[in-house]
Amino acid sequence: MTVFSVNHVTTYAYAEPVRLGEHRMMLRPRDSNDQRLLEASLAIDPPPKTLRWIHDVFDNCVAVATFSGETRELRVENRITLEHTPFEGDEFLLDDSARFYPFAYDAEETPDLARSIERHSPDPSGELDRWVRHFLHPGRPTETGELLMTLNYAIKEGFYYERRVEKGTQSALETLARRRGSCRDFATLMMEAARALGFAARFVSGYLYVPDCDGENRHLGGGSTHAWLQIYLPGSGWVEFDPTNGIVGNRDLIRVAVAREARQAIPLYGSYFADNATASTMDVEVRVRQSPSCELPSAPHRNL
């Protein structure tokens, strides 16, 4: 078990005074068997007129703020401390029926998984289908675990990571053509590729711990919010895959929100109004620290 602390600060600056509309903040992790929230605080400046908490359709915890008056800056600081338990086993147990691809989900689970299996991006020429089927073994069975781990690592090794500050997410086909993208682009690509094979997949937004004890970062995507995906596997449930870093399992990943696609798991979004066209800038700083002293244990292999 590890204790992580996260300090996430988002600052919007406006060229002229503006009136802030409603803002929604998806920043509070949910307790689970592998992470337990110990402390959480949310500081907003200017102070909101109202602040209420709701759970969205995916059961993510969302803070909804409204404001009064005018301001030239909005600053949101999220602080959390949580216990995190990485997977330590030598093997990932799948039901016998799911050890080889293809397999069928249980009839009772299929209705609840249907929207996560459904493809969300058009592929009119079948380009994504052809690409992902390169990871299958024609004429002989393909182990499910080998298939998904190979796909995850192929994106890490075959695509160039770039931090993108602009809004939005590339389509799977755009990322496939460009061979580069951000963590949310890679998560979207692998989700759509998995769905093309009939897997249930969903988007995850959260934080990444980047060990830096020796002055060398082991992971890409630190210093900001991070994105990866989960795939539902019978016998194991929702399994984490981070194609940006080739991670399988939850090691160094702090899960905050899940959704069917990236636009449904934006950490912070809202609106503002001004009498004239007003430019704005956004600055995001995320620091994830481990307590006690930083350790670099070797990551266990997960054989699916």
Side-chain angles (χ1 to χ4, degrees), residues 91-114:
E91 186 173 307
F92 208 160
L93 296 179
L94 298 179
D95 288 349
D96 288 342
S97 61
R99 293 190 65 83
F100 292 93
Y101 176 85
F103 63 86
Y105 288 116
D106 187 275
E108 292 188 0
E109 296 178 327
T110 299
D112 298 304
L113 297 172

Side-chain angles (χ1 to χ4, degrees), residues 39-57:
E39 293 182 84
S41 66
L42 184 64
I44 305 172
D45 187 28
K49 179 182 178 181
T50 64
L51 180 66
R52 61 192 179 97
W53 295 86
I54 64 172
H55 285 88
D56 68 7
V57 68

Side-chain angles (χ1 to χ4, degrees), residues 101-206:
Y101 176 85
F103 63 86
Y105 288 116
D106 187 275
E108 292 188 0
E109 296 178 327
T110 299
D112 298 304
L113 297 172
R115 291 305 310 275
S116 296
I117 300 171
E118 175 186 310
R119 298 179 67 171
H120 288 51
S121 298
D123 184 19
S125 64
E127 184 177 354
L128 183 62
D129 286 276
R130 290 190 295 273
W131 177 72
V132 73
R133 292 191 178 278
H134 288 156
F135 300 98
L136 302 177
H137 300 316
R140 62 185 177 93
T142 301
E143 289 191 13
T144 301
E146 178 189 353
L147 168 62
L148 294 175
M149 288 191 290
T150 302
L151 174 59
N152 188 56
Y153 202 71
I155 296 175
K156 175 190 183 298
E157 291 298 305
F159 292 72
Y160 179 78
Y161 171 79
E162 61 182 7
R163 188 184 298 275
R164 293 196 302 107
V165 297
E166 61 269 22
K167 296 180 180 179
T169 303
Q170 293 177 175
S171 70
L173 289 181
E174 185 177 359
T175 302
L176 187 61
R178 295 186 67 230
R179 296 283 167 164
R180 61 175 56 224
S182 66
C183 57
R184 63 186 184 274
D185 301 324
F186 293 160
T188 297
L189 170 61
M190 185 166 173
M191 278 198 310
E192 286 301 299
R195 288 167 176 166
L197 295 174
F199 290 100
R202 64 187 186 184
F203 186 88
V204 186
S205 175

Side-chain angles (χ1 to χ4, degrees), residues 277-290:
T278 301
S280 66
T281 60
M282 179 183 71
D283 180 71
V284 178
E285 181 182 1
V286 174
R287 288 180 295 171
V288 182
R289 294 177 177 172
Q290 176 179 311

